[in-house]
Amino acid sequence: MSLIDDAAKVCRNAYAPYSDFRVGAAIRATSGAVYLGCNVENVAYPEGTCAEAGAIAAMVAGGDTKIAEVAVISEGSQPITPCGGCRQKLAQFAEPDVPVLLGTTGGARVSTTVGALLPGAFGAVHMKDA
Ligand code: THU
């Protein structure tokens, strides 16, 4: 199964009673392991979490910290694009050339990279004494 198929499958488990917008994310780590996440909303709206954040948390919990490939899929009419916070979260664990495939459950696809999604990313290099 391809990574985008994994993302489509986990998208079905999203908990999105408030937005009715389900998102699934699949991350392949450099180890080869695949980690999944979906958005999980909350009645206290700001407490909801994005699919990408869930997949990243699963990856770190699974013992991986290097991303090789990302796929994100949603039910919208055009391919989803990760929110700003998720771009920063992905950049924490991925080189700029890491491929990101974005899609809809209807079959639309757009290919990009972590670097293209977050040009000029704030990184460890900007920290004092880094
Ligand atoms: N969402 C994601 O899961 N990932 C994104 O990158 C954008 C937005 C979710 C959050 C919320 O549950 C729903 O989509 C609507 O914003």
Side-chain angles (χ1 to χ4, degrees):
M1 194 158 67
S2 72
L3 204 61
I4 198 82
D5 291 333
D6 288 325
K9 196 169 173 203
V10 72
C11 183
R12 295 201 283 269
N13 294 340
Y15 180 74
Y18 305 105
S19 70
D20 194 33
F21 184 70
R22 277 159 281 279
V23 185
I27 289 174
R28 188 187 316 282
T30 54
S31 69
V34 171
Y35 299 98
L36 306 178
C38 57
N39 54 331
V40 180
E41 297 183 350
N42 192 282
V43 65
Y45 293 178
E47 298 304 324
T49 51
C50 287
E52 298 92 324
I56 289 168
M59 176 187 76
V60 174
D64 277 305
T65 54
K66 289 191 173 63
I67 296 175
E69 190 184 353
V70 181
V72 188
I73 204 161
S74 75
E75 296 176 310
S77 59
Q78 55 184 310
I80 180 160
T81 181
C83 77
C86 286
R87 293 174 196 218
Q88 185 71 38
K89 290 181 178 76
L90 290 168
Q92 182 73 24
F93 300 105
E95 296 299 324
D97 63 348
V98 163
V100 181
L101 185 58
L102 306 169
T104 67
T105 51
R109 300 286 181 262
V110 168
S111 282
T112 185
T113 64
V114 169
L117 286 170
L118 192 62
F122 172 71
V125 71
H126 301 109
M127 300 282 281
K128 198 171 100 179
D129 299 331

